[in-house]
Amino acid sequence: MSSVLPFSAAQKLTKSQAFTTLVKPVGSACNLRCDYCYYLGKAALYGGREPVMDDELLELYIRQYIDAVELPVVTFCWHGGEPLLAGLDFYRKAVQWQEQYKGDKQIENTLQTNGLLVNEVWCQFFHDHHFLVGLSLDGPRDLHDAYRRDKGGHPTFERVLRAAQFMAMLGVEFNILCTVNARSAGRGAEVYRFLRALTPFIQFLPVMEYTDGQGTIVPPHTPDAQPTLYSTHAADFGQFLCDVYDEWVRTDVGRIYVQLFDNTLAQWCGQPAALCTLAETCGEGLAVEHNGDVYCCDHYVYPAYRLGNIRETPLAVLYRLPERFRFGTGKFSALPRLCQRCRWLFLCHGGCPQHRYADGRNSLCKGYKQFFAHTEADMRAMRSLLEKQLPPALIMQTKQSTYNNVVV
C-alpha cells in the first residue's frame, strides 16, 4: 500500500482551519429506538448518563468554534441522538451567543432531527433563525416503521410526516435523510417518488453495520464481525441508487437535488466532493460531545479517537493535533493496491473508512461501482453541458426522447 498523499489532499489538510463540527448537545439521548442506530450505545462511554450540554460549555463551544474557523461563514451542525431534546431555550441561547461572538462572520445553522418533537413553535424558530433542518424519513410507511420506532415500540411514520408538513407550511428549509437498508432493496424508484413529493432535497445513507456477535455495533474490520439483518447488501445498494438515478435524470435534473448525484457530478467536473464519504481524506468534521469531548468523527466516538476536551484545550488546538492529521490521511494511506488501481478511485476515494474490511476494501464497493458505471455516460454529458455554460438539465431532453422511443 502506498502512503504518499496526493498534493491536493495534503494541501487540504494543511491549509487554514476550515473544518466543521457536528455537535451533540444531548449525546446519544433519543426518543426513538431505531434498530440500526450506531450511536445509542455511546452513552456507555459516559456511565450511561446523557445530560444536556450546560450553558457555560455551550457558550465556550460557540466562541471557540467561531474563533477557530478561518472562513467567512461558520456552520453549526446540531446532531444527536435527538438534538431537540435539549429544548427550545437551549437553541435560543445558542443563537444569542452566536450573534455575540460572530464578529464579521456569517453564521449558519443546520440540525438533524427525527421529527417527533417538531411543532409550530419549533418551526417558527427554525424559520426566524434560518435553520436548515434535516429530517430522518425512510420512505413510505412500511419502510419507515420497520426500523424507526419509539421507545415504546410504536410506529412513528405519521408523526414524522406531520413534521414535514409543518415545516413546509411554515417555510422552513429542510431536506430528508433516508437510509438505504435491507428492506429498501428493489424499491429505489418508489422511495424516491415518495420523498420528492415532500422536499426537493434528498440524501441517501446506506446502512452497513456489523456486530461482534453480542449485539455491539463494530467496524467491519473487527475480527468475527457479521453484518446485521437490517444492513443493505452492496449489490442492492447499487441497484437502489441506479433506480433512483434513472427516475431523476429523466424528469428532475435541476429541480430535485440528490446529494450523492450532485457530488458525483462535481467530481467528474474536477471539483472536490462536499460529501465526506467521497472525499480524499477524513478528519474535517469533528464530533463535539455534550461534555466537551472532541472526536475525529462522529462515526469514531471511541476512546482511541478522542482528541481532548474543549474545557481543557481550545478547539483550534485540537484540530491541529497530529492525531487528527493521521486520522485524516489514513483514509488514503490505508487504501489497498486494488483500490489505487481502480478507475473509479477519483469518485469514491475508498468510501467511508468505517465501511472497510480488514484488507482495506469497502463493503459497499460493488454497489458504488455499479452506480458509477451506470451513470458514467450521463455524467460526461452533463460535464460537457457545464463546460459550454449550459444547464445540466438539458440532458433530460435526450433522456425523454429515448424513453418515448422505447415506449412507442
Side-chain angles (χ1 to χ4, degrees), residues 89-152:
D89 285 345
F90 177 91
Y91 292 99
R92 286 176 173 146
K93 295 171 186 174
V95 295
Q96 290 174 356
W97 278 317
Q98 288 172 346
E99 186 68 23
Q100 177 179 339
Y101 292 114
K102 70 177 184 179
D104 58 358
K105 295 179 181 178
Q106 178 182 336
I107 301 297
E108 293 181 349
N109 284 286
T110 68
L111 182 145
Q112 186 66 39
T113 179
N114 60 37
L116 266 60
L117 297 177
V118 172
N119 56 25
E120 295 97 326
V121 178
W122 274 108
C123 286
Q124 193 62 57
F125 174 83
F126 293 147
H127 175 271
D128 293 346
H129 296 282
H130 311 290
F131 272 58
L132 170 61
V133 179
L135 179 66
S136 296
L137 178 62
D138 280 356
R141 182 191 305 273
D142 66 308
L143 286 180
H144 179 87
D145 284 340
Y147 297 128
R148 299 187 65 81
R149 292 178 172 264
D150 64 21
K151 286 184 176 181

Side-chain angles (χ1 to χ4, degrees), residues 122-274:
W122 274 108
C123 286
Q124 193 62 57
F125 174 83
F126 293 147
H127 175 271
D128 293 346
H129 296 282
H130 311 290
F131 272 58
L132 170 61
V133 179
L135 179 66
S136 296
L137 178 62
D138 280 356
R141 182 191 305 273
D142 66 308
L143 286 180
H144 179 87
D145 284 340
Y147 297 128
R148 299 187 65 81
R149 292 178 172 264
D150 64 21
K151 286 184 176 181
H154 303 111
T156 61
F157 176 81
E158 290 292 346
R159 285 174 278 177
V160 179
L161 193 60
R162 187 164 60 247
Q165 293 166 345
F166 277 142
M167 289 191 284
M169 179 176 61
L170 293 173
V172 177
E173 186 177 358
F174 73 100
N175 60 52
I176 287 177
L177 189 153
C178 174
T179 73
V180 183
N181 54 63
R183 289 180 177 255
S184 307
R187 299 179 65 176
E190 176 193 356
V191 171
Y192 172 68
R193 292 179 192 130
F194 174 80
L195 297 179
R196 74 180 176 188
L198 300 174
T199 178
F201 304 101
I202 303 169
Q203 302 177 43
F204 291 109
L205 178 69
V207 174
M208 180 54 75
E209 293 179 349
Y210 289 71
T211 65
D212 59 3
Q214 299 179 356
T216 301
I217 295 176
V218 296
H221 57 259
T222 304
D224 300 322
Q226 295 293 324
T228 61
L229 295 176
Y230 41 80
S231 292
T232 184
H233 295 287
D236 290 339
F237 177 61
Q239 190 60 54
F240 182 98
L241 294 178
C242 291
D243 291 345
V244 172
Y245 177 84
D246 288 345
E247 182 83 13
W248 173 82
V249 79
R250 188 169 60 83
T251 62
D252 294 329
V253 180
R255 187 178 75 87
I256 304 296
Y257 301 90
V258 179
Q259 184 187 47
L260 178 63
F261 302 168
D262 291 346
N263 277 262
T264 301
L265 179 57
Q267 299 210 106
W268 271 107
C269 294
Q271 300 299 314

